[in-house]
Amino acid sequence: MVDDIDRQVVNALLRDGRASARDVAAETGVAATTVSRRMDQLVDAGVIEEYTARVDYGALGYDVTAVFQLSVDGSGLETVTARLRDLDNMVAVYEVTGSHDIVAVGKFRDTEEMNAHIKELLTDPDIRTAATSVVLNTVREHEQFTVEETDE
C-alpha cells in the first residue's frame, strides 16, 4: 500500500528523476535509509516503472508527429496493437472506446517517412479504416503530475 511517505518520494523523483536517495531525503525530511528502502519497494511494486531520460525528439530531427486513429476487425485487435507497439517510431499506442479501436502516436523525421508508415498500416488486412492527423503544435507532451498526499 502506498502511503504519504511514498507519495513524497514519488513527487521528489518526478521533480528530479536523477535525484539520489540522499537528495530525496534532504527534500522530504525522511531518513535516507528509509527513502532508499521506499524507492526499492516502489520499483518492486511497479509504482516506479523505470528511471529513464526524457528525450526531445524534435531536437534529434524527428519533426513530424502524427496521431493515427484505427478501426480494426475484432479478431485483429491484439495483432495490430502488438505490431504498433513493436514499431520504433510509435511513442504511444492505446486501445480506446468510441468510433475507433486504436489511437497511436508516432514520431517521424519527415512526411515521407510518415507516409511510408501510413501505407504500411493501410496494407494490414485487420485494419478497416485509418485516419491520420499531423500535429501542428505540441502544447504539452509526456508530462507527469505530482500525486496528492492523503493527510493520513
Side-chain angles (χ1 to χ4, degrees):
M1 177 160 179
V2 176
D3 64 12
D4 280 344
I5 292 174
D6 293 326
R7 288 180 181 87
Q8 289 175 25
V9 169
V10 166
N11 287 337
L13 290 170
L14 284 169
R15 285 186 285 281
D16 180 3
R18 294 176 54 164
S20 67
R22 186 174 298 167
D23 295 335
V24 173
E27 181 179 335
T28 61
V30 177
T33 55
T34 300
V35 168
S36 180
R37 188 180 77 250
R38 294 294 184 108
M39 288 169 67
D40 290 342
Q41 290 171 344
L42 290 165
V43 169
D44 291 344
V47 174
I48 296 174
E49 294 178 346
E50 62 184 316
Y51 297 92
T52 185
R54 186 178 298 184
V55 174
D56 178 350
Y57 285 100
L60 296 171
Y62 291 84
D63 294 328
V64 177
T65 300
V67 179
F68 303 95
Q69 296 174 311
L70 308 172
S71 296
V72 178
D73 286 328
S75 62
L77 186 62
E78 189 174 323
T79 304
V80 173
T81 55
R83 277 190 54 224
L84 290 168
R85 179 191 62 229
D86 293 340
L87 290 175
D88 289 338
N89 290 68
M90 293 299 160
V91 295
V93 178
Y94 306 100
E95 291 182 19
V96 297
T97 62
S99 59
H100 297 90
D101 302 302
I102 299 170
V103 173
V105 180
K107 301 278 187 180
F108 306 96
R109 291 187 187 278
D110 51 36
T111 54
E112 186 177 315
E113 183 180 26
M114 179 193 66
N115 283 332
H117 277 78
I118 292 170
K119 289 175 183 173
E120 184 180 333
L121 285 173
L122 293 176
T123 63
D124 188 316
D126 291 321
I127 297 176
R128 287 191 317 257
T129 62
T132 304
S133 299
V134 175
V135 174
L136 298 176
N137 181 34
T138 301
V139 177
R140 182 179 167 125
E141 182 174 66
H142 303 296
E143 297 300 321
Q144 298 191 69
F145 55 90
T146 57
V147 294
E148 292 182 29
E149 296 177 27
T150 60
D151 296 326
E152 292 177 5

